[in-house]
Amino acid sequence: MAFDINMIRKVYEQLPARIEAARRAVGKPLTLTEKILYTHLWQGDATQSYERGKSYVDFAPDRVAMQDATAQMALLQFMQSGRTKVAVPSTVHCDHLIEARDNSKADLARAISESSEVYDFLASVSDKYGIGFWKPGAGIIHQVVLENYAFPGGMMIGTDSHTVNAGGLGMVAIGVGGADACDVMAGLPWELKMPKLIGVKLTGKLSGWAAPKDVILKVAGILTVKGGTGAVVEYFGEGALNMSCTGKGTICNMGAEIGATTSTFGYDDSMSRYLKATGRAEVAAMADAIQGHLTGDPEVYANPEKYFDQVIEINLSELEPHLNGPFTPDLATPLSKMKAAAEANQWPMKIEVGLIGSCTNSSYEDISRAHSLAKQVLEKDLDVQAKFTITPGSEQVRFTIERDGFLDTFDKIGATVFANACGPCIGMWARLGAEKQEKNTIVHSFNRNFAKRADGNPNTFAFVGSPEIVTAMAIAGSLSFNPMTDTLINRKGEQVKLDPPTGDELPNKGFDVEDPGYQAPAEDGSSVQVKVDPNSDRLQLLEPFAAWEGADLKGMKLLIKAKGKCTTDHISMAGPWLKYRGHLDNISNNMLIGAVNYFNDKTDSVKNQLTGAYGPVPSTQRAYKAAGIHTLVVGDENYGEGSSREHAAMEPRHLGVRAVLVKSFARIHETNLKKQGMLALTFAQKEDYDKIHEDDTIDIIGLTSFSPGQPLTMVLHHTDGTSDTISVNHTYNEQQIEWFKAGGALNIIRREFAAQNA
């Protein structure tokens, strides 16, 4: 079924003329990324060229997608906007609140029972405001979007960092916070700094054990977790043409792990095949008719160094399978070097669990290639040495692989099939024994492997690989195993070698599904009632944040000086805390509990300057708030890396933190802080980080003349009577400064709507 066909038709009808206008404005051939960005300007046709990495630009995305954990806060904000219906096609996908414990059937039933209040809220809000609703069990947001909504040349935003997955179908798809989604659903422009462009030229063709996942694992090793910040990664070349659409999606999906704004591929036959296979032949026909407009200009790909800010070249014919990790997704190790690396670093060699699936690698092709290895377990008389789990990406994929016999084979080798949901990838995994915090190794085909990410155990060493490599490693049960060269001992005592995986790009008999899990909204939602129990511990209606007082912030206290990596997982953990995503006060009890305190190397232990005692971060901050004292959070490099969750910005705002000062920010988190009326600041001199003392009282000077490009001044008053004055930078433009003054962007939306309807 093709959703929103009229919207797609309109985009395609306008595309040729808008691309021509953009080409005139820019004055040179265009990359695919530029074509999509310039044809989605809020103003309409392009009239000027924007400077990459500097110019703030207003865009008009085609659609919005939200997963259930982030949708709660996004929709609670949208309800405050005063609008009666979303301005662009929007969807909610229930995939985050299903805990993986027993099996798909039992886990789904338990989630529906435990989270019925949240699901009912999301369904009713969707019904009222014209939002498509995908029920629990329908699948993971990004796989469902790829199967139903993504289209070449389109632009979308989503309240999840892995929204970028839709780049596999030639979109510019960008992860944002709920406040950004609220703007677009309310019919307002969406602001983004014009991104820089990184070109990745792919030559050759994948074969043997190498998979699309290995491309992004290699790129992550090259660019690191912040090397793509502020940039779009555009893949091109013969190697891209030789790859499946879902393989492209995998690469784009994990581009979030290098900090990229998004990643994308030009339209080709693989995308056309995928559109047709997923019931969108009409979209494929429209795209085929304007194919030249849905990829970069030939001159760009002929001389990429002239058009991209950075170019990387990878020969797929020579690409070796990788495992990345532990504890960071950019520690890339070719499989041939993994044994030596594990021994040198004393990583636990024994693999306890292998997990395949997730939004990154749960396509039919992914699972079919893993299935070819599972069949070899039976055919070659092997035993699987590690526990093995499969997480299908959607009900359509699950139903089809069951029909084609894959699930029966997985069952015969002792695998567990979890629900069509995020599960272990986001910490929703009730892993038996994880509470013992024993040192152990797991391998998975997910995208992130931060400490505690999957099972809450800080001593779980998680390695990221392709589904086929994860399956092979689970069969062998050891990090020392290299399936390209090594043999295994079967039940008969024979040495056997695994054959390279094989699989089908798309199901030979087509996709099939009985109930995809979609629920359309009411034609007229005006009579639909959205109820939130005032005594609920899961849902809480929002109150507007207070506007800026109009003066400099003086007498602030340091809440925490975070040391090293501080992702949104550290700032606002997922896992068991997901159930509070719709209740700002309750979820604020996890604020920064995972951050390491620079002064004692402990987590969730900071000094309360009012008492001198050490205690949990949230309760310490609540004490400051009760005393009317504002606070500052200090961080290191790439602060806020990882998920798009805006709770990591809303919790400090709710509890009275006024500013966050770091060496550098991850893009989405910096924007989220701005949207909520926070001060997001960076050290003008990074070594000034060392001047922050534990007992400092802090002033921020210059807010009464707060303006773009002008640094602010921070005075650090130390307990010994001395002080340091440092300069701090910001990236606020005029509009964002108004967000700060108003106490948050939503306050402006609410005020403007009230004025229109006065």
Side-chain angles (χ1 to χ4, degrees):
M1 173 182 176
F3 289 89
D4 309 312
I5 196 71
N6 290 331
M7 177 269 286
I8 297 171
R9 183 177 294 110
K10 183 178 179 182
V11 170
Y12 284 171
E13 287 173 351
Q14 295 176 338
L15 206 61
R18 286 195 166 182
I19 287 175
E20 187 53 41
R23 202 176 279 119
R24 287 195 303 269
V26 174
K28 61 181 181 179
L30 301 175
T31 64
L32 169 65
T33 305
E34 289 172 315
K35 288 182 180 181
I36 298 175
L37 292 176
Y38 277 97
T39 57
H40 285 82
L41 296 175
W42 180 258
Q43 70 185 45
D45 287 355
T47 55
Q48 68 178 96
S49 177
Y50 295 99
E51 188 174 357
R52 298 176 193 168
K54 291 190 177 179
S55 299
Y56 281 99
V57 186
D58 285 342
F59 292 101
D62 299 312
R63 65 175 313 108
V64 173
M66 298 163 280
Q67 41 92 337
D68 51 354
T70 52
Q72 295 172 64
M73 200 57 69
L75 292 175
L76 284 165
Q77 291 177 85
F78 179 76
M79 289 167 63
Q80 288 189 307
S81 72
R83 271 55 173 179
T84 57
K85 191 171 185 178
V86 291
V88 301
S90 304
T91 51
V92 167
H93 304 258
C94 296
D95 62 359
H96 270 57
L97 301 178
I98 304 170
E99 184 181 53
R101 189 171 76 187
D102 302 313
N103 56 63
S104 58
K105 187 175 181 179
D107 294 347
L108 179 58
R110 187 173 62 255
I112 291 173
S113 173
E114 292 178 351
S115 295
S116 59
E117 179 186 13
V118 172
Y119 292 142
D120 289 346
F121 166 75
L122 293 173
S124 64
V125 175
S126 298
D127 208 26
K128 184 174 184 64
Y129 294 105
I131 299 168
F133 181 72
W134 290 81
K135 295 179 285 188
I140 306 173
I141 177 173
H142 313 302
Q143 180 68 24
V144 173
V145 165
L146 198 71
E147 292 175 0
N148 295 278
Y149 298 111
F151 66 98
M155 183 183 195
M156 67 174 286
I157 60 170
T159 60
D160 189 287
S161 56
H162 294 106
T163 299
V164 295
N165 187 81
L169 248 177
M171 291 196 88
V172 162
I174 301 174
V176 300
D180 279 351
C182 180
D183 283 357
V184 175
M185 290 190 293
L188 300 175
W190 174 64
E191 182 187 74
L192 177 72
K193 185 181 287 185
M194 183 60 79
K196 294 185 177 181
L197 299 179
I198 299 173
V200 179
K201 182 178 181 180
L202 302 178
T203 62
K205 187 175 183 179
L206 293 167
S207 63
W209 287 91
K213 184 67 162 281
D214 296 304
V215 175
I216 187 58
L217 295 177
K218 174 80 171 177
V219 170
I222 295 170
L223 289 175
T224 76
V225 291
K226 66 174 186 174
T229 302
V232 173
V233 182
E234 184 172 322
Y235 293 84
F236 61 94
E238 61 168 334
L241 299 176
N242 290 329
M243 197 180 295
S244 69
C245 175
T246 52
K248 294 178 173 75
T250 290
I251 293 169
C252 293
N253 179 293
M254 199 172 158
E257 273 50 74
I258 58 172
T261 302
T262 191
S263 305
T264 195
F265 284 78
Y267 183 67
D268 62 14
D269 289 345
S270 73
M271 296 184 192
S272 183
R273 290 193 298 272
Y274 187 74
L275 286 168
K276 293 169 186 173
T278 51
R280 292 173 286 171
E282 187 175 358
V283 178
M286 287 192 291
D288 289 344
I290 57 167
Q291 185 165 355
H293 295 299
L294 299 175
T295 188
D297 287 337
E299 300 93 328
V300 170
Y301 297 151
N303 296 285
E305 291 80 7
K306 292 174 60 177
Y307 301 96
F308 292 98
D309 298 291
Q310 180 180 355
V311 177
I312 297 167
E313 185 167 339
I314 298 174
N315 186 341
L316 301 184
S317 300
E318 300 173 354
L319 183 63
E320 183 179 344
H322 281 61
L323 280 176
N324 284 26
F327 304 124
T328 186
D330 60 351
L331 181 55
T333 305
L335 208 55
S336 61
K337 298 179 180 178
M338 177 52 72
K339 180 181 178 181
E343 289 174 344
N345 291 286
Q346 297 185 315
W347 296 332
M349 201 69 78
K350 183 176 184 292
I351 295 171
E352 302 291 342
V353 191
L355 309 99
I356 67 168
S358 84
C359 68
T360 320
N361 277 116
S362 56
S363 68
Y364 185 89
E365 181 181 42
D366 289 330
I367 298 179
S368 70
R369 285 172 64 85
H371 175 251
S372 74
L373 297 171
K375 285 197 300 182
Q376 293 183 53
V377 171
L378 302 175
E379 295 163 356
K380 299 186 177 186
D381 230 4
L382 290 164
D383 287 315
V384 180
Q385 299 301 313
K387 292 180 181 178
F388 187 55
T389 72
I390 299 100
T391 305
S394 69
E395 176 57 17
Q396 178 167 266
V397 167
R398 190 213 63 80
F399 190 93
T400 305
I401 64 174
E402 181 179 41
R403 178 202 67 191
D404 292 350
F406 295 2
L407 295 188
D408 183 56
T409 302
F410 287 133
D411 183 61
K412 287 177 180 176
I413 68 168
T416 298
V417 179
F418 288 137
N420 314 320
C422 299
C425 183
I426 59 162
M428 290 295 281
W429 183 19
R431 185 184 179 191
L432 189 65
E435 71 283 353
K436 298 176 185 176
Q437 299 198 353
E438 295 173 326
K439 197 173 179 180
N440 76 104
T441 286
I442 65 174
V443 292
H444 60 58
S445 68
F446 308 159
N447 40 49
R448 293 191 176 131
N449 57 350
F450 306 140
K452 300 184 182 182
R453 171 82 180 182
D455 62 2
N457 178 2
N459 297 311
T460 291
F461 289 61
F463 296 85
V464 183
S466 68
E468 40 271 69
I469 291 299
V470 169
T471 304
M473 302 301 278
I475 292 169
S478 174
L479 276 182
S480 67
F481 179 66
N482 183 349
M484 296 181 291
T485 57
D486 299 346
T487 58
L488 298 167
I489 305 297
N490 69 4
R491 293 175 187 167
K492 299 175 183 176
E494 302 166 333
Q495 285 196 347
V496 296
K497 196 166 184 286
L498 293 174
D499 300 319
T502 59
D504 295 316
E505 174 186 323
L506 297 163
N508 292 325
K509 293 186 284 187
F511 285 107
D512 200 4
V513 66
E514 286 182 351
D515 177 11
Y518 176 70
Q519 180 176 300
E523 285 291 327
D524 179 4
S526 59
S527 62
V528 176
Q529 295 296 312
V530 179
K531 295 181 180 179
V532 175
D533 183 346
N535 298 314
S536 172
D537 70 346
R538 298 289 299 271
L539 296 166
Q540 179 188 48
L541 294 175
L542 294 175
E543 294 293 332
F545 291 131
W548 173 56
E549 304 89 336
D552 290 335
L553 297 177
K554 296 185 176 181
M556 302 171 69
K557 299 296 185 182
L558 176 70
L559 176 61
I560 186 172
K561 180 177 174 179
K563 178 181 178 181
K565 187 184 281 287
C566 192
T567 71
T568 48
D569 276 33
H570 296 84
I571 304 167
S572 175
M573 287 186 176
W577 290 95
L578 280 173
K579 63 184 178 182
Y580 298 122
R581 284 283 182 89
H583 197 294
L584 182 55
D585 193 57
N586 282 347
I587 199 169
S588 293
N589 289 321
N590 79 358
M591 185 190 72
L592 285 159
I593 63 176
V596 176
N597 184 356
Y598 176 90
F599 298 106
N600 60 12
D601 282 327
K602 295 180 179 180
T603 58
D604 202 23
S605 175
V606 294
K607 188 174 184 179
N608 182 336
Q609 292 190 48
L610 302 177
T611 65
Y614 284 84
V617 184
S619 59
T620 302
Q621 178 56 38
R622 287 184 186 275
Y624 287 134
K625 183 178 182 180
I629 296 172
H630 301 311
T631 57
L632 171 76
V633 168
V634 173
D636 212 315
E637 296 280 9
N638 208 29
Y639 183 87
E641 169 192 344
S643 168
S644 69
R645 69 191 67 152
E646 66 181 338
H647 298 76
M650 294 186 78
E651 292 172 30
R653 181 73 169 102
H654 172 65
L655 293 185
V657 177
R658 295 301 298 274
V660 179
L661 172 65
V662 301
K663 293 180 181 177
S664 65
F665 281 108
R667 176 191 62 85
I668 299 176
H669 187 63
E670 182 181 20
T671 301
N672 285 345
L673 289 168
K674 291 178 179 180
K675 283 278 186 175
Q676 301 304 332
M678 295 275 282
L679 283 173
L681 309 172
T682 55
F683 291 99
Q685 303 295 326
K686 292 186 178 182
E687 55 268 27
D688 286 345
Y689 172 89
D690 298 322
K691 295 178 180 177
I692 308 287
H693 297 177
E694 189 172 31
D695 294 303
D696 281 349
T697 298
I698 301 150
D699 301 334
I700 299 178
I701 309 298
L703 290 175
T704 53
S705 57
F706 194 12
S707 57
Q710 296 300 312
L712 297 171
T713 299
M714 187 172 287
V715 182
L716 310 172
H717 302 278
H718 309 308
T719 52
D720 63 1
T722 63
S723 66
D724 281 299
T725 299
I726 64 174
S727 181
V728 294
N729 294 332
H730 66 84
T731 60
Y732 287 74
N733 60 24
E734 293 284 4
Q735 176 176 261
Q736 294 166 351
I737 290 172
E738 291 305 310
W739 298 346
F740 167 73
K741 291 179 178 178
L746 186 59
N747 289 348
I748 296 176
I749 296 174
R750 185 189 303 106
R751 187 173 65 208
E752 290 177 350
F753 184 80
Q756 292 169 7
N757 292 272

